[in-house]
Amino acid sequence: AAKEVLNFAKNRLNQFYNPKLYKPAPKRELSREDRIASSMSGTEPPTAAPGGIAGTGIKVFAQISQHVQHTVAPPPPPETFGAYTKKS
C-alpha cells in the first residue's frame, strides 16, 4: 500500500511539474441508461465518491511492528571529557 501512495503522489506531482509523464485517470464508461439520461438532461450523472485514503482509492496503509519487552538494563554511557566548565 505504501508503494501505491507514493506512485499516486508522484503522478499527482507530474501533473503540474512534468506533464509529459502524467497519466490521467481512465474515463468512466457510461451505461446505456446513463447516456440516455445525460443526453436528455444535458448533465452527466454523478459519480461515486472514491474510497480509501483521502479519496485516492488506496484502501489500507498500515505499519505494524511487534512490541518487545526488554528485561535487560541498557549498558552504562561511555566515558566523556569530564564535567562542563565555562572558560573565562
Side-chain angles (χ1 to χ4, degrees):
K3 287 183 181 181
E4 291 177 27
V5 171
L6 290 175
N7 287 334
F8 179 81
K10 183 179 175 182
N11 192 36
R12 183 67 63 94
L13 289 172
N14 281 338
Q15 180 179 6
F16 299 105
Y17 297 113
N18 199 350
K20 291 179 184 174
L21 296 178
Y22 173 66
K23 297 173 190 148
K27 294 284 184 179
R28 186 178 140 215
E29 183 68 30
L30 295 177
S31 66
R32 183 173 177 225
E33 292 84 18
D34 287 341
R35 280 184 281 166
I36 293 170
S38 65
S39 67
M40 292 177 75
S41 67
T43 60
E44 299 248 345
T47 58
I53 301 168
T56 60
I58 300 167
K59 302 291 181 203
V60 176
F61 180 64
Q63 183 174 0
I64 302 171
S65 64
Q66 182 180 5
H67 296 282
V68 179
Q69 297 293 330
H70 297 286
T71 56
V72 179
E79 290 294 322
T80 61
F81 297 106
Y84 176 76
T85 57
K86 187 173 182 180
K87 295 182 180 179
S88 36

